[in-house]
Amino acid sequence: MASVSLNDIRKAYGAVDVIHGISLDIEDGEFVALVGPSGCGKSTLLRMIAGLEEITDGEIAIGGAVVNGMTPRERNIAMVFQSYALYPHMTVAENMGFNLKLAGVGKPQIEARVAEAARMLDLAQLLDRKPAQLSGGQRQRVAMGRAIVRNPAVFLFDEPLSNLDAKLRVQMRSEIKTLHQKVRTTSIYVTHDQIEAMTLADRIVVLNQGRVEQQGTPLELYRKPANLFVAAFIGSPAMNMLDGTVDGENGQPAARLSDGTAIRIASDRKVRPGQAVTVGLRPEHLTPDGKEGNVLAGQTLLVEPTGAQTHVVFDLAGQSVTAVVDGAYAARYGARFEANIASEQVHIFDRGTGLAL
Ligand SMILES: Nc1ncnc2c1ncn2[C@@H]1O[C@H](COP(=O)(O)OP(=O)(O)O)[C@@H](O)[C@H]1O
Ligand SMILES: [Mg+2]
C-alpha cells in the first residue's frame, strides 16, 4: 500500500491543454473518487498516474518516490477498466494468474494467490470456466481478481461499472466497497456518476475541464458546495437553481424571485443588497405542509412516484422546481403545491462568479 501525490500535473495534446495543473495528496489506504462530466480529463489523469500516458509537466509520487521516469510495471499499480479485456481462450484462473506468470512467479504461489482472490470475490466455483461462459458481472469480478492477485500498491479504476446494467452496477459497487474495507489498498476511482462517487469514496475530487472544482468528503460536497458547478453535479435529483436578487428586511437577507416571492436566507451569508444571485434549493429540503421557514407555492406540473418517495415538479416564478416528498403524500397534477424550506437550507451563489456566498 502507498500514498499517491500529484504536484501541479499538466497535460497537453499538441497545442491543446487538457489538464491545467492538478495537485492532490492521497493517503495510504484512502479511497478517492475523481468525478466529473465526460471529457473533463479523468481518464487522462488516471493514465498519467498509471504511467500509460506521458506527463507534460509536474511530478507524481507513489509511496513517497517520484515515479515520473518509471514504467507502469515498476509503479506497482493495478488498473481495472470499463472493458474487462479478458483473454477468451484462457480459464478464469489462467486469466487471473497471467500477469504473475509473466512476472516469473512460481506456480504454487500463483495458485495460492488466485485461490485467495477467488475466495474474496466469490469466484471459487468458476475458476475453470472461460470468459464466454460468464455473465458481465462475473467477468468484471475476474478483471478485479486479476488486479488483486498482483497485490499492488495502488488500485486505479476507470469507470469499471459502466458496461453493466443498473442492478448489477449497484451490486458490484457494494462489492468494490466491501473489498476495499477488507484489503485497504489505496484506490483511485474515476467515474462520471456522482452516486457512485458518493457511495464509494472517502473523498471526492470534482473535476471540470481539467481543473479541480472542489474536493472533500461526500457529505462536505453535498452540504457545502463551493460553487454552482459542484452544487449542480452532486445530489440527485439535482439542486433546483433559481435566479434572484438580494434584498431583505430587519437584517435578514432574502432573495427575491422574478414574481416577487422572497426566499429568506441565513443571515451569515455574505450577500449585499441588489446582488444578482442564484438560489439553490435541494429537492429533499422542500417539505410540503411544513411549519417553519419559507413558504413556496405553485401549480403542480408533474408527479413522479418512485415508491418510498415521490418527485413533485411545481411552478415557481415561471420555473420548474422539483420537490422530493414522502411516497404517501397525495400529490395531484394541476393542484396547488406548497412547500417549506428553512433559511439555513437555502444555498446562495453569486450569479456572476458562480461562487457560494
Ligand atoms: N490521445 C488524445 N489526443 C488528443 N486529445 C485527447 C486524447 N485523449 C484525450 N483527449 C482529450 O482530452 C480531454 C480529456 O479526455 P479524457 O481524459 O478521456 O476525459 P474523461 O475520461 O473525463 O471523459 C478530452 O477533451 C479529450 O478529447
Ligand atoms: Mg474517461
Side-chain angles (χ1 to χ4, degrees), residues 13-14 16 18-19 36-45 47 53 158-159 190 207:
Y13 289 109
V16 184
V18 295
I19 302 287
S38 181
C40 72
K42 305 180 294 294
S43 295
T44 302
L45 195 57
R47 290 171 56 79
E53 193 78 67
D158 193 350
E159 313 238 14
V190 158
L207 297 177

Side-chain angles (χ1 to χ4, degrees), residues 111-147:
E111 278 173 9
R113 284 211 229 161
V114 167
E116 164 74 6
R119 192 184 50 73
M120 265 195 273
L121 290 162
D122 207 13
L123 286 170
Q125 314 300 317
L126 306 175
L127 285 174
D128 295 327
R129 290 211 194 158
K130 298 273 174 67
Q133 299 165 299
L134 302 175
S135 70
Q138 289 166 337
R139 279 180 217 163
Q140 187 55 282
R141 238 182 271 156
V142 175
M144 289 208 301
R146 188 177 47 187

Side-chain angles (χ1 to χ4, degrees), residues 332-353:
R332 202 158 44 80
Y333 171 74
R336 178 184 154 88
F337 179 77
E338 197 174 293
N340 296 72
I341 186 164
S343 310
E344 298 74 52
Q345 306 272 38
V346 175
H347 294 263
I348 205 93
F349 305 89
D350 182 272
R351 214 188 303 158
T353 65

Side-chain angles (χ1 to χ4, degrees), residues 151-173:
N151 197 15
V154 182
F155 277 129
L156 304 178
F157 297 92
D158 193 350
E159 313 238 14
L161 308 183
S162 297
N163 280 348
L164 306 177
D165 65 49
K167 195 168 172 184
L168 204 48
R169 219 157 44 222
V170 172
Q171 187 191 329
M172 289 300 293
R173 195 175 79 196

